[in-house]
Amino acid sequence: MTILKKEEFNKKIFSKIEKLINQYNLIDNGDNIAVALSGGKDSVLTLYALVKYQNDSNIDFDLTAISVDEGIDGYRKHGIESAIKNAEKLDVELIQKSFSEEVGFKLDNIYHHFKSACIPCGVFRRSILNKTAFEIGADKIATGHNLDDEIQSFLMSFSRADTIKFSKFGPMLSMIHPKLIPRIKPLWNTSEKDVGIWAVMNNINIHFDECPYSNISLRGKTKNFLNKIESKNPGTKENIMESFKKMILDIKTQKNNINECKKCGEPCSGLICKACEITDLISNS
Ligand code: SF4
Ligand code: ZN
């Protein structure tokens, strides 16, 4: 009975992901896809789903995984171990990067300069992922963003009146600069709950630890808020996603201006990129 349930569940979750990939043309023939593999359940499911899609579809593409160690004691090590094990199991090459080697410090040592540790964490992780993907000639970066992450980001930007960020939403972020690798989100319409069920049912080797900085972040608070509403009014998350899908179609047509950072040459929206801005702030304080 359990086996049947597991098979049915797997079929449902993988066909949902496959449908999204096909519907939005997330992967093309000849693509070299870099998967951002943190070792958490979302990135691990993304890797499993893309390997399955590679075997089942008639699209011919390559996969490489990239992990980034931010330098969070007692947390990230478990994620890296799970990234290594899952990449090995699926026979996908894993490139390991770290804040220490790439930017010269651990997140643990610099987070106190910011309102939330997630600010420098996100900035440097995105920058390292983009640079690494560019170096290996990747055409796209696949991330494990799920439906919950997407509506959290949406509401966070909404509550800050930061409508520019709306252009980052959707299952695919197109090429807006030759050095900015397009992003795809194969789990875009898969709920976090379903990702968790998949990982438990299939006994997947992942780490379930929560980042020690997650609760104090605005994202953590938004997540708790949404989970509370969802438990009282099931379907709220899906409805928010639906509203967002209707709105985003208009906003996405607005043009984005992308420049190159005057210091490091990486793509950015201002004159200096966020990574250089933050590095200056840390070294001057
Ligand atoms: Fe980084 Fe914040 Fe995620 Fe922790 S919760 S890994 S600090 S982005
Ligand atoms: Zn820069």
Side-chain angles (χ1 to χ4, degrees), residues 54-55 70 73 127 131 135 150 154 165 256 258-259:
Q54 205 176 29
N55 295 331
E70 301 93 344
D73 269 358
S127 159
K131 266 191 226 170
E135 277 161 20
E150 195 74 354
F154 173 61
K165 286 252 174 66
N256 285 306
I258 292 289
N259 311 313

Side-chain angles (χ1 to χ4, degrees), residues 40 66 69 110 122 143 226 237 241 244 256 264:
I66 304 171
D69 182 345
I110 56 115
T143 64
L226 283 168
K237 288 182 185 175
M241 188 68 161
F244 146 61
N256 285 306
C264 70

Side-chain angles (χ1 to χ4, degrees), residues 46-261:
T46 305
L47 191 67
Y48 270 77
L50 293 188
V51 168
K52 189 173 184 310
Y53 191 73
Q54 205 176 29
N55 295 331
D56 297 352
S57 73
N58 47 20
I59 300 181
D60 187 19
F61 63 98
D62 289 329
L63 280 174
T64 309
I66 304 171
S67 68
V68 180
D69 182 345
E70 301 93 344
I72 307 173
D73 269 358
Y75 166 70
R76 183 45 79 216
K77 196 171 151 271
H78 299 138
I80 303 291
E81 283 166 7
S82 120
I84 295 171
K85 281 185 190 142
N86 284 293
E88 253 172 32
K89 188 171 173 194
L90 296 172
D91 202 16
V92 174
E93 185 199 349
L94 173 69
I95 300 174
Q96 294 186 58
K97 295 279 171 174
S98 69
F99 277 26
S100 296
E101 278 176 23
E102 301 298 313
V103 288
F105 41 72
K106 293 165 70 177
L107 185 68
D108 279 343
N109 299 337
I110 56 115
Y111 81 94
H112 57 274
H113 292 287
F114 304 88
K115 212 167 130 195
S116 157
C118 302
I119 298 170
C121 187
V123 167
F124 290 119
R125 191 179 45 240
R126 275 193 298 275
S127 159
I128 293 169
L129 275 173
N130 189 66
K131 266 191 226 170
T132 312
F134 185 76
E135 277 161 20
I136 64 168
D139 300 288
K140 284 158 195 164
I141 297 175
T143 64
H145 287 93
N146 60 39
L147 181 144
D148 290 62
D149 298 324
E150 195 74 354
I151 60 171
Q152 282 157 23
S153 302
F154 173 61
L155 289 179
M156 283 159 63
S157 305
F158 200 75
S159 59
R160 288 173 175 144
D162 188 0
T163 51
I164 298 282
K165 286 252 174 66
F166 285 6
S167 62
K168 290 196 172 172
F169 300 139
M172 168 122 177
L173 307 182
S174 331
M175 171 88 81
I176 43 175
H177 187 282
K179 279 161 88 180
L180 201 56
I181 312 296
R183 304 261 172 152
I184 56 170
K185 305 171 190 168
L187 309 189
W188 187 64
N189 59 349
T190 300
S191 71
E192 183 168 350
K193 194 172 153 197
D194 280 355
V195 182
I197 295 173
W198 169 79
V200 172
M201 269 190 165
N202 292 277
N203 216 1
I204 303 290
N205 190 326
I206 47 163
H207 78 122
F208 275 103
D209 317 352
E210 283 273 331
C211 169
Y213 302 121
S214 64
N215 273 337
I216 49 171
S217 67
L218 176 60
R219 181 172 292 277
K221 288 174 198 153
T222 311
K223 183 177 175 168
N224 292 341
F225 165 73
L226 283 168
N227 285 344
K228 256 188 214 160
I229 306 185
E230 178 72 26
S231 68
K232 289 198 177 128
N233 302 286
T236 304
K237 288 182 185 175
E238 289 277 353
N239 288 341
I240 295 176
M241 188 68 161
E242 271 314 302
S243 306
F244 146 61
K245 265 158 81 178
K246 286 176 191 160
M247 288 163 70
I248 202 175
L249 292 177
D250 292 340
I251 293 159
K252 279 256 182 188
T253 54
Q254 289 174 10
K255 213 169 159 35
N256 285 306
N257 281 327
I258 292 289
N259 311 313
E260 283 187 13
C261 171

